[in-house]
Amino acid sequence: MGHRWRIVACCLPLGILCLSGCLIPYAYPNLSYVPGCDLNLKMPDCHVFRVDVTAGQSDLQEDGKYTVVEIPRRSDGSFPPQFGLSIDSGVYVANPALSFNIGCLHSIRVKIYRPGYQLVELKPWDSTEKVQWHPTTNWIEQEKAIDALLELPKVGIPPVIVNHTPPCDAGYISSKATDLFAAAEYERVAALAPTPEDAARLRQKAEQLRNPKVKAETDSAITQSTPKSP
């Protein structure tokens, strides 16, 4: 009987800790791998991009820094396998009501872009069978495909909410060649826009990529024009 009570006495503090929330520190090597692919990639207008992500997670939010760089394709239209090796670390908060992560995670993505089609995104260990071409049905979907090319990918799992970092903000480490490519695509879609306002908005996106100073000036003007709380 005394032995049983000693077990209960030892486990009781642990149970109270778990009910209030356990902090579980972690650190482990993370290998990201996206296989090479030559499936339906021989079209001259097809472009393949590598995205490297360093995602910071806090509570239920995720943001981070990322780069988007075009991968040179081989003469047969294929691209080589992509690897990323990193150390992920942080603290996992385990709580009966809600569990979440506080830490720094790393990952890579491969994004395959073709004008007039929806963007294809390959995550680590995805099968290349995921590369399927789905035509866009209008100019808005074409704009969204360019937006998706430049967006911060989500590394965490639900219920993490991603703070998508628009191009030219602090989280986006500019690749000039990628910026100029995306700017040209925004200009191309601007010619398809049905109204002058939509065309002007798309050309503004293009100019922000060609000249990051325009983005900074635009954000400053919006901040100065925002009414202050009493």
Side-chain angles (χ1 to χ4, degrees):
M1 177 66 71
H3 179 67
R4 182 181 302 172
W5 281 110
R6 282 196 296 271
I7 294 176
V8 172
C10 291
C11 292
L12 185 59
L14 180 60
I16 295 173
L17 179 61
C18 289
L19 287 174
S20 60
C22 294
L23 303 181
I24 307 173
Y26 66 87
Y28 58 87
N30 176 27
L31 174 63
S32 298
Y33 166 73
V34 178
C37 179
D38 60 1
L39 180 64
N40 297 330
L41 295 180
K42 295 183 179 179
M43 296 75 67
D45 60 348
C46 179
H47 296 262
V48 183
F49 297 85
R50 172 178 170 133
V51 184
D52 286 88
V53 188
T54 300
Q57 294 188 341
S58 177
D59 196 355
L60 299 180
Q61 301 293 321
E62 175 179 308
D63 55 19
K65 295 182 180 296
Y66 65 111
T67 59
V68 184
V69 179
E70 185 163 6
I71 303 170
R73 291 194 294 154
R74 301 179 178 125
S75 58
D76 63 356
S78 66
F79 65 89
Q82 301 297 304
F83 298 88
L85 181 61
S86 60
I87 299 295
D88 289 355
S89 61
V91 176
Y92 186 73
V93 181
N95 189 290
L98 184 64
S99 299
F100 56 88
N101 179 61
I102 301 173
C104 185
L105 307 179
H106 304 79
S107 188
I108 64 173
R109 299 287 189 272
V110 168
K111 294 185 177 184
I112 306 173
Y113 177 87
R114 185 182 177 194
Y117 292 83
Q118 295 178 14
L119 186 83
V120 176
E121 180 177 324
L122 295 177
K123 300 178 182 179
W125 311 103
D126 269 350
S127 168
T128 54
E129 294 180 359
K130 190 176 178 179
V131 181
Q132 301 289 334
W133 295 117
H134 299 286
T136 54
T137 58
N138 53 54
W139 68 274
I140 296 176
E141 290 187 358
Q142 294 194 47
E143 178 187 3
K144 289 181 178 179
I146 309 170
D147 291 343
L149 171 63
L150 300 174
E151 274 186 342
L152 168 66
K154 181 174 70 173
V155 175
I157 58 175
V160 170
I161 301 171
V162 177
N163 295 326
H164 285 294
T165 307
C168 302
D169 276 359
Y172 177 61
I173 303 172
S174 176
S175 165
K176 193 61 178 178
T178 302
D179 289 350
L180 294 177
F181 172 81
E185 284 300 292
Y186 279 130
E187 292 280 8
R188 179 185 63 81
V189 177
L192 306 175
T195 68
E197 292 78 13
D198 287 319
R201 179 177 54 79
L202 285 159
R203 293 193 174 97
Q204 178 73 2
K205 282 187 174 184
E207 185 58 26
Q208 289 173 0
L209 288 168
R210 286 192 293 260
N211 183 7
K213 183 180 178 182
V214 172
K215 172 67 175 177
E217 291 175 347
T218 301
D219 288 346
S220 176
I222 292 174
T223 301
Q224 293 176 9
S225 63
T226 302
K228 296 291 189 296
S229 300

